[in-house]
Amino acid sequence: MQNAPLRVFITGASSGLGSALAHHYAKQGAMLGLAARRGESLLALVDVLPNRERHCVYSLDVTDRAALHNAAHDFIQHAGGIDIVIANAGISRGTLTEYTEDLDVFERIFATNVIATVATFSPFIDTMREQAAAVQSQCRLVGIASVAGIRGLPGAGAYSASKAAVISYCESLRVELKKDGIKVVTIAPGYIDTPMTQANDYAMPFLMPADDFARHAAAAIARGDSYRVIPWQMGVVAKILRLLPNCLYDFLFRNAPRKKRAQPNE
């Protein structure tokens, strides 16, 4: 393993899980490439990180593939390579199929949560292959999924389906890249205390502080875990959910709390 600082690229870095991961890796001395839509928030984040001069900020929308690829190539050039890429950008809204206007919400969620994950990884793979072949670093591509992707939650069809897609996509990619020495890590958070979950008006079992999540996630990434649910208690719940027969799952979750639908112009 290299002695030089880790080179880490994170999308959705301006708040929530992305910001917590940025703080964690910066404290470890990493060089960061931080991408998010809110440029002012990114600059405010970098101002409080250690070794501010090491980090690069990219104000962009992850659904803009050209901007994302340009940022990836710029960071590779700036950092002299790449070690970890974390596709963290994601959005969540309640959706109901019978509402025609929710089709646009489905599209936005899939574009941000799924297609942008692919677009985030794509421009880094060639460089990672070269580094792995030269035994220069242990490269990681990290997809941030969700426990919500394990079973379809009522009222969250778009979000659950998008995170299920991230889990399956990362699994496919993991097998594809194994021969190249690139590890693909899937992290499935449960309830983490972030602005996204703070909007929920229902009980959230095993709610974890974001900085604790970042610490556990970074450990799983360093180990090269193929799949990790955080916190571990939600991992137990996830295993049980997988085993439930459909009839029992349907009975237990028919009245589950639902995330609010998007409002007009939101």
Side-chain angles (χ1 to χ4, degrees), residues 43-170:
L43 291 173
L45 169 62
V46 171
D47 280 341
V48 299
L49 294 180
N51 304 307
R52 184 194 187 287
E53 68 284 353
R54 289 185 176 181
H55 313 312
C56 297
V57 169
Y58 304 99
S59 179
L60 55 82
D61 189 319
V62 290
T63 62
D64 184 341
R65 300 179 198 175
L68 190 55
H69 280 224
N70 288 338
H73 292 304
D74 180 81
F75 183 67
I76 289 170
Q77 183 176 20
H78 171 81
I82 183 68
D83 300 299
I84 300 171
V85 177
I86 304 176
N88 166 74
I91 56 175
S92 175
R93 294 287 188 277
T95 49
L96 292 173
T97 301
E98 63 265 31
Y99 290 94
T100 304
E101 60 269 29
D102 281 12
L103 291 175
D104 290 337
V105 183
F106 268 83
E107 289 183 352
R108 288 201 305 274
I109 288 175
F110 267 78
T112 302
N113 296 4
V114 184
I115 304 303
T117 295
V118 181
T120 298
F121 291 160
S122 177
F124 290 102
I125 289 177
D126 284 345
T127 299
M128 285 188 164
R129 279 196 176 113
E130 293 171 2
Q131 291 176 184
V135 198
Q136 292 178 344
S137 65
Q138 296 182 13
C139 299
R140 308 281 191 265
L141 296 172
V142 184
I144 302 297
S146 172
V147 171
I150 293 170
R151 299 293 301 250
L153 297 176
Y159 185 69
S160 287
S162 73
K163 292 304 185 179
V166 169
I167 292 170
S168 292
Y169 162 68
C170 287

